[in-house]
Amino acid sequence: MMRCLEDGPRRFSELRVPLAGITPKVLAESLRAMEHDGAVVRTEYAENPPRVEYGLTPIGRSLLGPMDAVCAWSRENLRSLLEAREAYEREH
């Protein structure tokens, strides 16, 4: 979700496209939790029909760097992790 908001605020329906594997209920719950934690801001616009956008707050944006590091680590180590998992499963 955070990667989807990286380039700027998006509407709920816009988030559903790249996050098609997540149910609308789980997406809404996750956005609420991230808003509660201060990582996401929900902006309501007084339009007809009403429009709501979700965007990263400065603290949410500060997580992008550490996420990049974790993603890079995962790319570098995924094969070893999977091999270790397979070895463990064979032994147990």
Side-chain angles (χ1 to χ4, degrees), residues 19-36:
L19 301 172
I22 299 174
T23 66
K25 179 183 180 216
V26 170
L27 178 57
E29 289 171 350
S30 298
L31 287 167
R32 267 194 297 276
M34 292 170 68
E35 182 183 13
H36 182 262

Side-chain angles (χ1 to χ4, degrees), residues 2-90:
M2 295 188 70
R3 286 288 176 214
C4 293
L5 296 171
E6 183 174 16
D7 293 330
R10 295 177 78 177
R11 296 175 75 169
F12 188 85
S13 59
E14 293 174 310
L15 291 170
R16 289 192 58 204
V17 174
L19 301 172
I22 299 174
T23 66
K25 179 183 180 216
V26 170
L27 178 57
E29 289 171 350
S30 298
L31 287 167
R32 267 194 297 276
M34 292 170 68
E35 182 183 13
H36 182 262
D37 291 340
V40 168
V41 63
R42 182 180 187 269
T43 305
E44 295 181 38
Y45 296 91
E47 299 175 352
N48 193 10
R51 179 170 57 107
V52 175
E53 289 183 340
Y54 298 88
L56 292 176
T57 64
I59 197 165
R61 192 158 291 286
S62 74
L63 287 168
L64 295 173
M67 284 176 51
D68 289 340
V70 169
C71 289
W73 182 90
S74 296
R75 281 190 297 273
E76 292 172 15
N77 294 286
L78 180 61
R79 183 178 203 152
S80 296
L81 290 172
L82 293 175
E83 289 170 356
R85 183 181 294 167
E86 289 173 5
Y88 179 87
E89 289 173 0
R90 278 193 305 271

